[in-house]
Amino acid sequence: MLDDVEGPEQTSWVRILIILAIGIPILIEVVTFGGLLGHYVAGGGGDGGAAATPTPDVEGATAGDEILAETAAVERVDSASVVTGNDGWRFTLAVAVDNTGNSTYELRLGTATTRAGRTVEGSDATTGELPPGETGSVTGSWMLPKGQRPASVVVTVVTTPDDGTASAQQYTVAIGDVPVSS
């Protein structure tokens, strides 16, 4: 093959072509490997270079979160779940209450609203009256339309001081991302 090459000019061209034929694929491999390594080490993720679709963050209470900072008691989400079914999606919310105030305290779970804006009646769950220093819990359940996730729950707090005059205050509690299972 190189027997046809005559003169120093043609030998130089052959050498340049051989270097390019070997060097270009090696350069491409080095750049590709360096890009991949830099992408993963620098925290670029693993989306393969595809444009990321932003996922809206759903703000609201999830398991472990306190739901009513403005009350004297501590109300914390124990658990929240959505279970799929043939007749709809069952949303269940359990709230633990620690009455740290000086009045009798009751927490009631009312209607739920879906992310699509539909209001759903619940099971009218309540902690019952909790004297000061007592703890209790309440679990509410709502049958949401198929494919719908909870956005908020109406919560009513009833406090009764020593004089016996009960007062009720209603709050809307935003619900965060609740896991869906079947």
Side-chain angles (χ1 to χ4, degrees), residues 81-160:
S81 65
V82 174
V83 179
T84 62
N86 291 335
D87 52 346
W89 286 17
R90 170 85 44 203
F91 167 50
T92 305
L93 178 69
V95 179
V97 178
D98 183 10
N99 185 3
T100 56
N102 297 324
S103 302
T104 302
Y105 185 91
E106 180 181 1
L107 182 83
R108 300 175 185 164
L109 299 177
T111 59
T113 303
T114 66
R115 291 183 187 171
R118 182 147 179 213
T119 301
V120 179
E121 293 296 322
S123 56
D124 295 324
T126 179
T127 59
E129 292 184 350
L130 298 173
E134 294 292 318
T135 60
S137 64
V138 59
T139 301
S141 181
W142 299 263
M143 184 57 76
L144 307 178
K146 285 184 180 180
Q148 303 245 345
R149 310 257 319 258
S152 64
V153 172
V154 173
V155 175
T156 303
V157 171
V158 181
T159 54
T160 309

Side-chain angles (χ1 to χ4, degrees), residues 12 42 55 66 69-70 74 91-92 98 110 114 135 145 152 155 167 173 175:
S12 297
T55 303
E66 185 173 353
E70 51 276 327
V74 176
F91 167 50
T92 305
D98 183 10
T114 66
T135 60
S152 64
V155 175
S167 66
V173 176
I175 303 297

Side-chain angles (χ1 to χ4, degrees), residues 46-53:
D47 62 1
T53 304

